[in-house]
Amino acid sequence: MAEHESQEFGKADFVLLDSVSLEEFMANLKLRFEKGRIYTYIGEVVVSVNPYRAMNIYGRDTIEQYKGRELYERPPHLFAIADAAYKAMKRRNKDTCIVISGESGAGKTEASKYIMQYIAAITNPGQRAEVERVKNMLLKSNCVLEAFGNAKTNRNDNSSRFGKYMDINFDFKGDPIGGHINNYLLEKSRVIFQQEGERSFHSFYQMVKGGSESLLRSLHVSKDPTAYSYIKVGGQVKSSINDGADFKAVADAMKVIGFTPDEIQTVYKVLATILHLGNLTFGVDGDTTLIENSKVVAVIGVLLATKEENVGKALLYRTVATGRDVIDKQHTTQEASYGRDALAKAMYERMFCWIVGRINDVIEVKNYDAKVHGKNTVIGVLDIYGFEIFQNNSFEQFCINYCNEKLQQLFIQLVLRQEQEEYQREGIPWKHIDYFNNQIIVDLVELQHKGIFSVLDEACMTVGKVTDEVFLQGLNSKLAKHAHYTSRKVHKSLEFDRDFRIRGVQYCMNKDTLFQDFKRLLYNSSNPVLKMMWPEGKLSITEVTKRPLTAATLFKNSMIALVENLACKEPYYVRCIKPNDVKSPLLFEYERCRHQVEYLGLLENVRVRRAGFANRQEYPRFLQRYKMISEFTWPNHDLPSDKEAVKRLVQGCGFEHDVAYGKTKVFVRTPRTLFCLEEQRDEMVGRIVLFLQKVWRGTIARMRYRRMRAALIILRAYQHYKVKSYIKDVNRKFKNVRSMKDHGKHVKWPTPPKVLRKFEEALRSIYNRWWAWTLIKDLTPEEKLQIRAKVATLEALKGQRPDLGLQRTWEGNYLVSWIDSPDTASSFTLVSCELQRKDKFMRVLFSCNVRKINRFHKAEDRAVLITDRHLYKMDPLKQYKPMKSIPLYNVTGVSVSPGKDQLVVFHTKDSRDLVVCLQGMVPAGDSRIGELVGTLLSHFKSEKRKLQVNIASPIQCSMNGRKCTVIVEPKINQSQPDFTKSRSGYILAVPGN
């Protein structure tokens, strides 16, 4: 059974219909089409209805659903048939084939492409490069063959106008290693004539619309297809086909396959030559036939790489050998036109056959030795043209319809034979089924001496002028009494000496003569590729050769060979149906579809499948699906064999009267029994699922609990272990830290477990505090103050000034230490003592000589004394006489530059900033900016006040309430730092390098 689909979609297999009638068959087909189910089974045959829209059922996800599954495990699909053929080939080492048939426009070509896509997707799991190359070649060959062998018809935008049978060769592992393509009877008449609303082959329009300007110029072709007689009808047809994009895709595919640039160019030249041939016109000058547009002949000569006069002669004359004499017989205008058309058709056909042969050269298996590589198995895919009836049905259409009749006969024979063989193999009695046998139609065409092909051969061998009338007379004399043959003698609506009818299909005759002169012309071309297409042209006009086989005989022989080839393989079928003639995704034309169902023999196929038993399954598979119905088989049986278990199950359900038991399979007679089994199974599956869900959920909950409990125990033990290990490791590493020279600063801390990260941070903090305490516990109060100041400097200026002076001792009060001014130190000492007595400050923080800017914007030498209460400005030239003082609480911040200069700006609350540059340092390159900033920060911090420190260049300040900028500029000739006035403020010039 296919995967159980809802009843709203109808029956997934026509065999399961309640009663076999055309009405029920059509109703089920229509329902599934309207519900978007385009595939339905008849046993192992897939019936496909063209949806005329894109469907999202061919992606990678869908491929995975069908890969390796049995035919009835999933809903009907092309992939199921492709997988069944692949499994049969791989498991049983047997050649298989997939026969795709149906009317033109029923979706055969698309079906073959999806089958190829599926086979390519499921093979080569090892991604071997050579196998990937072969797969790519096989897929690309489709693109090329469609361009040159397909055309838009009134029924189908991409109709195959040739028959194609592709063998895909597989190695013993089931990977594709090559292939071979057989093509059958290209509809070459389409080159020169198309029905109204149809086009010629895609290749013409792709070249004209997609070719580059330089290519078309070299071919003397314009971009307007209506300019060429042969494709004018198709050029006027509006179509959704993107010829430009297709041209590029085909060119790329030809390159991938291995066509050389010269070969591709020759193909374009042949197409262009055919277009120019169609525009040739013939006229008469007295008794002489001539070409009216002779310039076209010159173009054709260039394209064919031959002389212009040779082209003209071949078109206007026919060389005839009479004994030893050779004469040139001039054509009439009608004969010249026939010859031109025959040449165009033959050139296209030869080119197409050459393309197929060229593809085969690339994809055929080479150097394969069965002894070394294992047996080479094959899957064949047959995409043959569909049965069609046109207003004018030519010889090609006659052959196409004969081919379909032949394949239909093969289908019926093989299906009946397979059924009969299976029943005999299983020991089940076989009941004969009546069905329409179209062997009479096949015989009418191919029977020796009496068939239409034989009459045609006889007409061709007639001495003298062979005409359509001669052929029709032969048909009338031999087939006039045949029940399925009609001509004008019987039916008055047919044309005299032109038309005949077979089983309701009317055919008209048209003689197609290709003179030997054309073959010699093309063989003598200097283009080696073109020459290769016409090997028989090397024969001299006087050479006598065996009469070649007619096109009809060649086609009949190829059809017989194809049928024999298919008959020796295990066949799988895809029967395509066209729902309407207007390509609508919504319209299901009942009569149109009914005719196809009857012609394809689908109802007979259903009857054959249901002749004795509608369904058959192997015992293990039957048990696997239905064992839950019986207590004797659930969950497993203890009977002697699966066959006995199936018997007990069927007896328990009361269906023993409707079932037969074969050697390996159980056969169910009516679909009703199968449906009853399915209903009982569905009911039991629901109960089993509920029971399994209950048990499984309980099991899952218990398993989850045990895992969580075990995980918690393990987690706690592990955490305990990691904590103990960490504590022990820390204890071991820091055990002798007191006796270490650096008190353990070099010791690397162990990585803590996640749970102890905060603990480690606290431990590090404790250690750092202890380490700092060991360093400063023996320092004097003055040294501690200096350490605090240096730390403050480091926090404020680290990385922002090059020299902070941290490596030296900070004196602080430099003017009293006899370092900067030994001659005036005593004077400064007296002044500072007087100021201490007067202002009651506790200690001096910093003192130094400076260069400052006064209120007149002039630079002058001064000294600054910073105590814990005031900042004093002094005049060193007047025994350090105090000039002015600034209360320290009035200072809000200091600004310094990021350079090596000694610029300092003291910011005050009253916007009367003090701008100074420290100077007079000993040694001369000493920097005291870091000491000044650190000392002030340390003092402010001790008083719990905030001092803003800015590092900037330029520095913004306020002088007597006016905003100004101080810029530091190095100058080469500057010996000492000095201030100058600028437009925006002041410039501190410092000595350059």
Side-chain angles (χ1 to χ4, degrees):
M1 283 291 293
E3 185 183 76
H4 195 62
E5 289 185 316
S6 171
Q7 288 296 318
E8 66 171 309
F9 300 120
K11 303 291 193 298
D13 192 331
F14 285 112
V15 174
L16 303 180
L17 291 172
D18 292 331
S19 64
V20 181
S21 65
L22 184 60
E23 290 71 24
E24 280 217 23
F25 188 100
M26 294 300 298
N28 191 58
L29 187 69
K30 183 174 186 290
L31 174 63
R32 290 184 65 78
F33 173 75
E34 291 172 346
K35 294 291 184 179
R37 297 301 194 267
I38 62 171
Y39 298 118
T40 313
Y41 289 137
I42 302 178
E44 294 182 350
V45 175
V46 170
V47 178
S48 169
V49 183
N50 192 338
Y52 286 120
R53 60 188 171 95
M55 300 190 72
N56 187 26
I57 56 173
Y58 305 103
R60 186 73 213 183
D61 292 343
T62 309
I63 290 172
E64 290 300 323
Q65 290 175 16
Y66 285 87
K67 184 178 178 181
R69 304 293 287 271
E70 294 301 324
L71 193 67
Y72 290 100
E73 289 185 27
R74 302 291 302 163
H77 202 289
L78 279 176
F79 291 167
I81 282 289
D83 196 77
Y86 180 73
K87 285 202 299 286
M89 179 274 299
K90 192 174 180 181
R91 290 175 182 173
R92 302 200 293 273
N93 209 21
K94 186 172 182 179
D95 290 346
T96 60
C97 65
I98 301 173
V99 180
I100 308 168
S101 58
E103 279 198 16
S104 178
K108 299 184 300 300
T109 300
E110 288 301 309
S112 69
K113 286 195 284 189
Y114 285 130
I115 288 170
M116 292 280 292
Q117 170 193 323
Y118 179 83
I119 293 172
I122 64 171
T123 53
N124 194 28
Q127 293 295 306
R128 287 190 294 156
E130 176 61 18
V131 176
E132 285 299 306
R133 185 190 71 82
V134 171
K135 282 163 53 173
N136 195 29
M137 295 283 189
L138 293 171
L139 293 174
K140 291 292 184 184
S141 67
N142 268 334
C143 175
V144 176
L145 293 177
E146 280 189 20
F148 292 94
N150 288 25
K152 180 193 180 318
T153 68
N154 288 320
R155 299 175 179 179
N156 185 358
D157 283 353
N158 190 33
S159 177
S160 297
R161 309 317 298 167
F162 71 106
K164 179 181 71 174
Y165 176 76
M166 176 183 281
D167 268 333
I168 308 171
N169 297 80
F170 295 84
D171 61 13
F172 71 99
K173 296 190 298 298
D175 290 332
I177 54 173
H180 183 86
I181 298 169
N182 288 327
N183 63 297
Y184 300 98
L185 191 71
L186 179 75
E187 188 196 12
K188 60 184 180 179
S189 61
R190 184 168 290 272
V191 173
I192 65 166
F193 172 78
Q194 304 94 45
Q195 306 274 351
E196 192 67 35
E198 298 192 348
R199 302 203 319 176
S200 186
F201 294 99
H202 294 322
S203 54
F204 290 110
Y205 305 96
Q206 289 174 4
M207 183 186 73
V208 170
K209 294 183 180 179
S212 64
E213 292 291 342
S214 59
L215 172 65
L216 297 182
R217 199 180 308 115
S218 69
L219 301 174
H220 304 277
V221 172
S222 71
K223 279 189 170 292
D224 181 14
T226 61
Y228 301 98
S229 177
Y230 282 160
I231 63 172
K232 185 175 182 179
V233 173
Q236 296 169 342
V237 175
K238 292 183 179 180
S239 171
S240 60
I241 301 170
N242 188 340
D243 293 304
D246 291 346
F247 176 81
K248 186 177 185 309
V250 171
D252 292 342
M254 292 178 79
K255 290 174 186 174
V256 169
I257 291 171
F259 286 84
T260 65
D262 287 343
E263 290 172 337
I264 296 174
Q265 192 66 23
T266 299
V267 169
Y268 295 148
K269 287 179 178 178
V270 171
L271 294 176
T273 299
I274 292 170
L275 293 181
H276 290 305
L277 279 172
N279 285 357
L280 278 178
T281 56
F282 300 96
V284 179
D285 184 6
D287 294 333
T288 305
T289 303
L290 49 81
I291 299 172
E292 294 180 338
N293 43 354
S294 57
K295 288 183 180 179
V296 178
V297 178
V299 172
I300 293 173
V302 172
L303 294 174
L304 296 180
T306 188
K307 294 180 181 178
E308 177 184 349
E309 55 267 25
N310 292 345
V311 176
K313 183 179 178 183
L315 287 166
L316 294 174
Y317 294 89
R318 177 187 177 192
T319 305
V320 180
T322 57
R324 293 183 180 181
D325 297 327
V326 177
I327 61 172
D328 292 331
K329 182 177 180 296
Q330 188 175 26
H331 291 315
T332 64
T333 55
Q334 187 179 28
E335 287 172 340
S337 297
Y338 284 160
R340 174 202 60 196
D341 292 345
L343 174 61
K345 292 187 285 185
M347 286 184 69
Y348 195 87
E349 182 186 35
R350 294 293 179 99
M351 177 191 71
F352 183 76
C353 292
W354 174 82
I355 288 172
V356 174
R358 190 71 181 79
I359 293 172
N360 283 333
D361 290 342
V362 175
I363 65 175
E364 277 184 334
V365 180
K366 300 174 181 67
N367 304 321
Y368 194 91
D369 187 348
K371 294 180 181 178
V372 178
H373 303 103
K375 187 176 184 297
N376 175 351
T377 47
V378 167
I379 292 181
V381 179
L382 178 65
D383 173 16
I384 207 77
Y385 12 56
F387 188 95
E388 288 182 304
I389 303 172
F390 292 113
Q391 184 177 354
N392 291 310
N393 295 286
S394 63
F395 170 74
E396 287 98 337
Q397 197 58 48
F398 173 75
C399 291
I400 286 170
N401 292 348
Y402 156 68
C403 168
N404 278 268
E405 297 284 359
K406 189 80 176 170
L407 291 174
Q408 175 64 13
Q409 180 64 19
L410 174 71
F411 170 71
I412 294 170
Q413 288 175 351
L414 288 180
V415 167
L416 288 171
R417 190 180 71 192
Q418 284 177 338
E419 287 291 309
Q420 189 169 4
E421 285 177 355
E422 183 169 28
Y423 283 121
Q424 289 174 350
R425 194 167 52 243
E426 294 290 331
I428 305 295
W430 168 254
K431 179 183 176 183
H432 177 73
I433 299 298
D434 289 327
Y435 60 93
F436 172 74
N437 191 337
N438 64 344
Q439 185 64 47
I440 189 171
I441 303 298
V442 174
D443 289 343
L444 173 63
V445 176
E446 68 179 20
L447 201 64
Q448 283 287 90
H449 308 300
K450 292 184 180 180
I452 293 174
F453 282 156
S454 294
V455 175
L456 182 58
D457 287 349
E458 288 177 13
C460 291
M461 289 187 287
T462 302
V463 178
K465 189 175 183 180
V466 180
T467 63
D468 299 336
E469 293 84 353
V470 172
F471 170 51
L472 191 57
Q473 287 170 9
L475 289 178
N476 289 335
S477 65
K478 292 191 177 183
L479 302 175
K481 295 181 180 179
H482 197 287
H484 297 282
Y485 171 83
T486 308
S487 70
R488 171 71 183 192
K489 285 187 175 181
V490 179
H491 203 288
K492 300 302 179 183
S493 66
L494 302 182
E495 288 286 335
F496 268 119
D497 298 329
R498 194 196 75 176
D499 296 348
F500 65 93
R501 181 175 294 170
I502 298 175
R503 202 177 154 207
V505 183
Q506 180 177 325
Y507 297 96
C508 63
M509 297 170 297
N510 185 14
K511 185 181 173 186
D512 183 11
T513 304
L514 181 67
F515 300 120
Q516 189 72 19
D517 303 73
F518 292 131
K519 299 176 183 177
R520 284 194 294 273
L521 172 73
L522 294 168
Y523 176 78
N524 291 318
S525 168
S526 59
N527 183 330
V529 179
L530 198 59
K531 187 170 185 172
M532 194 188 308
M533 298 180 192
W534 298 88
E536 69 272 38
K538 68 179 179 180
L539 296 176
S540 169
I541 185 62
T542 57
E543 286 186 60
V544 179
T545 59
K546 185 180 178 181
R547 180 184 292 273
L549 295 176
T550 63
T553 300
L554 288 172
F555 183 72
K556 180 184 74 172
N557 293 342
S558 67
M559 281 297 102
I560 292 171
L562 172 64
V563 168
E564 289 174 354
N565 187 14
L566 295 176
C568 70
K569 293 178 170 62
E570 184 171 326
Y572 292 85
Y573 292 95
V574 179
R575 312 292 266 171
C576 298
I577 289 178
K578 183 177 181 179
N580 57 75
D581 284 325
V582 293
K583 303 169 190 173
S584 168
L586 304 174
L587 181 61
F588 185 91
E589 292 181 355
Y590 186 90
E591 285 302 317
R592 190 82 180 76
C593 296
R594 183 189 60 77
H595 170 74
Q596 295 171 77
V597 168
E598 288 179 341
Y599 166 72
L600 292 171
L602 300 184
L603 210 57
E604 287 86 352
N605 194 2
V606 175
R607 290 195 180 103
V608 166
R609 289 292 294 185
R610 287 171 55 125
F613 302 91
N615 184 267
R616 75 285 322 261
Q617 295 185 45
E618 293 178 350
Y619 292 121
R621 183 166 294 281
F622 187 89
L623 271 180
Q624 182 66 30
R625 186 162 186 83
Y626 300 113
K627 63 181 180 179
M628 68 286 298
I629 295 175
S630 173
E631 59 181 333
F632 300 105
T633 55
W634 177 259
N636 294 300
H637 69 85
D638 55 0
L639 295 167
S641 65
D642 287 345
K643 183 175 181 179
E644 293 300 320
V646 170
K647 283 184 177 180
R648 183 65 64 89
L649 187 153
V650 172
Q651 288 169 2
C653 297
F655 297 139
E656 63 272 13
H657 64 282
D658 205 36
V659 170
Y661 303 100
K663 295 175 183 177
T664 63
K665 294 181 180 180
V666 57
F667 290 76
V668 180
R669 188 179 302 277
T670 61
R672 181 59 55 195
T673 298
L674 210 57
F675 287 138
C676 290
L677 288 171
E678 283 293 325
E679 288 171 0
Q680 292 182 45
R681 178 183 180 275
D682 288 344
E683 183 182 350
M684 290 305 300
V685 164
R687 296 182 186 179
I688 292 169
V689 167
L690 286 175
F691 176 74
L692 290 177
Q693 285 178 341
K694 180 187 74 172
V695 173
W696 179 242
R697 284 171 181 162
T699 303
I700 289 292
R702 286 188 289 274
M703 288 169 60
R704 188 181 295 120
Y705 167 74
R706 285 195 290 269
R707 282 199 302 269
M708 289 174 64
R709 188 169 180 274
L712 187 60
I713 293 171
I714 293 169
L715 182 63
R716 285 174 177 170
Y718 182 71
Q719 285 179 341
H720 185 63
Y721 159 74
K722 292 295 284 184
V723 168
K724 285 178 66 176
S725 298
Y726 177 74
I727 297 298
K728 286 180 180 179
D729 203 9
V730 170
N731 184 52
R732 179 178 57 78
K733 288 188 174 185
F734 289 90
K735 186 175 182 180
N736 301 316
V737 73
R738 286 188 178 87
S739 58
M740 295 178 186
K741 188 175 180 179
D742 62 351
H743 302 294
K745 198 67 178 174
H746 72 284
V747 175
K748 185 177 179 181
W749 285 75
T751 304
K754 190 173 181 180
V755 71
L756 290 182
R757 283 180 185 171
K758 289 189 177 180
F759 171 75
E760 189 232 14
E761 291 174 4
L763 201 60
R764 279 179 182 263
S765 177
I766 293 169
Y767 166 75
N768 289 333
R769 292 172 68 84
W770 173 83
W771 180 80
W773 176 78
T774 58
L775 292 180
I776 66 175
K777 66 178 180 178
D778 297 327
L779 297 178
T780 64
E782 290 76 13
E783 289 174 331
K784 290 181 180 180
L785 284 174
Q786 194 171 126
I787 289 294
R788 288 194 180 96
K790 287 184 176 182
V791 170
T793 298
L794 202 61
E795 290 176 348
L797 303 180
K798 184 180 180 182
Q800 302 189 66
R801 276 188 68 88
D803 182 16
L804 302 181
L806 299 175
Q807 306 302 321
R808 61 177 178 81
T809 303
W810 288 358
E811 296 293 339
N813 195 357
Y814 287 97
L815 295 180
V816 79
S817 62
W818 300 81
I819 296 175
D820 290 355
S821 306
D823 299 335
T824 58
S826 58
S827 301
F828 176 78
T829 302
L830 290 173
V831 172
S832 62
C833 290
E834 179 62 24
L835 288 173
Q836 186 175 20
R837 183 187 62 78
K838 176 183 173 185
D839 292 336
K840 308 294 188 223
F841 62 80
M842 300 298 295
R843 65 187 181 93
V844 175
L845 302 179
F846 186 82
S847 66
C848 183
N849 289 314
V850 299
R851 185 81 171 166
K852 73 172 282 287
I853 300 171
N854 62 21
R855 67 177 180 274
F856 304 110
H857 310 296
K858 302 292 185 182
E860 54 188 5
D861 290 329
R862 290 286 184 269
V864 293
L865 170 65
I866 304 174
T867 69
D868 56 0
R869 300 190 66 181
H870 292 83
L871 187 157
Y872 298 98
K873 290 179 283 186
M874 300 177 173
D875 189 349
L877 300 178
K878 296 180 180 180
Q879 303 296 315
Y880 290 99
K881 176 184 176 182
M883 303 295 291
K884 193 174 183 181
S885 67
I886 301 173
L888 213 56
Y889 63 77
N890 203 29
V891 176
T892 59
V894 295
S895 291
V896 298
S897 75
K900 293 182 179 181
D901 56 85
Q902 302 298 300
L903 174 65
V904 184
V905 177
F906 295 92
H907 301 287
T908 61
K909 293 179 181 179
D910 55 4
S911 299
R912 295 176 181 274
D913 297 348
L914 175 62
V915 181
V916 301
C917 178
L918 308 186
Q919 64 178 12
M921 279 76 75
V922 179
D926 207 359
S927 174
R928 294 178 184 168
I929 292 294
E931 181 179 353
L932 171 59
V933 171
T935 302
L936 285 173
L937 282 170
S938 179
H939 174 69
F940 272 66
K941 188 175 181 180
S942 66
E943 292 192 348
K944 298 181 180 180
R945 290 162 53 198
K946 187 176 181 181
L947 180 70
Q948 184 70 37
V949 178
N950 300 316
I951 302 93
S953 178
I955 297 175
Q956 305 293 329
C957 61
S958 296
M959 297 291 288
N960 298 319
R962 185 174 67 86
K963 298 287 185 182
C964 59
T965 302
V966 183
I967 301 173
V968 180
E969 287 185 1
K971 293 187 178 179
I972 296 175
N973 297 324
Q974 189 79 24
S975 59
Q976 294 294 329
D978 199 5
F979 290 100
T980 57
K981 185 77 173 67
S982 72
R983 181 176 297 177
S984 60
Y986 306 97
I987 296 173
L988 173 62
V990 298
N993 295 330

